[in-house]
Amino acid sequence: MTGMSTAMTASPGGTWHHGTTAEDSAPGPSRAVLPVLMYHSIGDCSVPSFRRWEVPAGALVEQLGSLAEHGYTVTSLSDALANPRERQVAVTFDNGFEDFVTRALPVLAEFGAGATLYVPTAYVGQRARWLEPYAERELALLDWPTLAALTARGIEIGAAGHRHVELDVVPPAIARYDVTASMRTIAEETGHRPSSFCYPFGYHSPGVRRIVESAGFASACEMGYRIHRRSRSRFQVSRLIVGRSVGAADIIRLVTEGHRDAALAARRKLSAGWRAYRSIRWRLGVETA
């Protein structure tokens, strides 16, 4: 990146350390809030149905470069929750696609940035079968040896459930199994007990949150479409979706102002009705299986 106002150095924990910059006097998020960015795939395929969830590698470079220029510290979610700082951003990636290693990891390393990678443990090393109705391309997922190696490089591996089911509409016993199986499998396969959970599809309820907490997780992510306030529950960590068109100026507005899309605000208000519809759909699916 050109125009970098200070040299950036990374600590072994994957955080940025910066000197005094021209941006230090500019307004930024305080320790009371934590912007959490949500990514999925880093690539540029031609499948229209999946493009919403893709960010080209060049755009990721531009986004992280802009955060660096403005003096932000970029870490994993668990690091950010445990060590509040001014001008701090947590970065998360959902599903564990292979392009995390081939495209995202080199960019993260370039900027000394940490990240949390959430994986659905039943599908590790296979395909993202739960996305097949929405994406026509092959969606390969990372395997266990690669995930174990990522932990050694400072990437946090979190759980996205076991079978990536909608936990808020399935019976509690199924939800409990899916949550505990994901924690147990990650611990066995990587040697590291996961601290953070990601609700599949972002769906949760008070009962699901209790299950996740009782399983031993320290935090859990939803979508939320807003900047997370630290006064809110750690089991309702709200995230900001990063789209493919987010540029250098856009990423700074996103971490300081959150989403300004009226459609996203409306979606939050419709969540109860949408849950009822999904519950009926799940029951009908079980009865016809």
Side-chain angles (χ1 to χ4, degrees):
M1 295 293 295
T2 59
M4 190 76 73
S5 56
T6 183
M8 308 296 294
T9 59
S11 72
T15 62
W16 287 333
H17 299 280
H18 55 87
T20 302
T21 73
E23 291 82 7
D24 283 344
S25 59
S30 70
R31 296 189 185 194
V33 297
L34 174 63
V36 183
L37 301 180
M38 182 177 71
Y39 292 89
H40 286 77
S41 176
I42 303 302
D44 195 12
C45 79
S46 58
V47 178
S49 63
F50 195 71
R51 287 175 68 83
R52 178 192 178 194
W53 306 111
E54 277 192 321
V55 172
L60 181 62
V61 171
E62 188 174 357
Q63 293 158 8
L64 293 186
S66 183
L67 291 171
E69 290 177 2
H70 285 78
Y72 282 88
T73 298
V74 176
T75 72
S76 68
L77 179 62
S78 290
D79 187 355
L81 290 173
N83 302 293
R85 308 172 181 88
E86 305 289 336
R87 293 178 177 274
Q88 184 176 37
V89 175
V91 171
T92 66
F93 290 81
D94 285 10
N95 302 330
F97 295 122
E98 282 186 347
D99 59 41
F100 177 82
V101 166
T102 58
R103 297 191 181 99
L105 191 61
V107 180
L108 293 168
E110 177 183 351
F111 291 101
T116 300
L117 179 65
Y118 293 109
V119 299
T121 50
Y123 298 107
V124 168
Q126 302 178 40
R127 303 283 172 177
R129 292 197 294 255
W130 69 93
L131 288 176
E132 286 176 357
Y134 311 103
E136 297 87 352
R137 72 166 188 162
E138 292 291 302
L139 296 169
L141 303 176
L142 295 169
D143 59 20
W144 285 117
T146 303
L147 291 170
L150 285 172
T151 64
R153 297 187 60 170
I155 299 297
E156 179 183 19
I157 305 300
H162 187 56
R163 295 162 298 184
H164 207 279
V165 298
E166 299 174 13
L167 296 173
D168 62 329
V169 299
V170 302
I174 293 178
R176 189 173 296 107
Y177 167 78
D178 227 74
V179 171
T180 56
S182 67
M183 170 174 274
R184 181 180 64 252
T185 305
I186 290 175
E188 290 173 352
E189 296 288 349
T190 70
H192 294 269
R193 187 170 181 266
S195 295
S196 190
F197 188 85
C198 173
Y199 302 112
F201 306 103
Y203 301 141
H204 59 94
S205 66
V208 170
R209 294 194 293 273
R210 287 192 292 271
I211 288 171
V212 172
E213 184 173 8
S214 65
F217 288 97
S219 67
C221 287
E222 59 181 13
M223 286 192 182
Y225 309 106
R226 59 169 74 91
I227 295 174
H228 177 66
R229 292 192 171 277
R230 292 183 183 274
S231 59
R232 202 165 185 241
S233 168
R234 287 194 175 194
F235 295 90
Q236 289 178 274
V237 176
S238 183
R239 296 186 291 172
L240 303 163
I241 298 174
V242 183
R244 62 188 304 107
S245 62
V246 174
D250 302 316
I251 197 71
I252 300 304
R253 282 195 294 270
L254 187 61
V255 301
T256 55
E257 302 175 22
H259 288 296
R260 296 183 291 179
D261 190 334
L264 295 179
R267 183 177 295 180
R268 287 197 295 266
K269 295 178 181 179
L270 295 173
S271 60
W274 178 236
R275 178 181 296 164
Y277 165 77
R278 290 186 294 103
S279 180
I280 294 171
R281 184 185 61 186
W282 184 84
R283 287 199 298 271
L284 289 174
V286 171
E287 292 171 0
T288 58

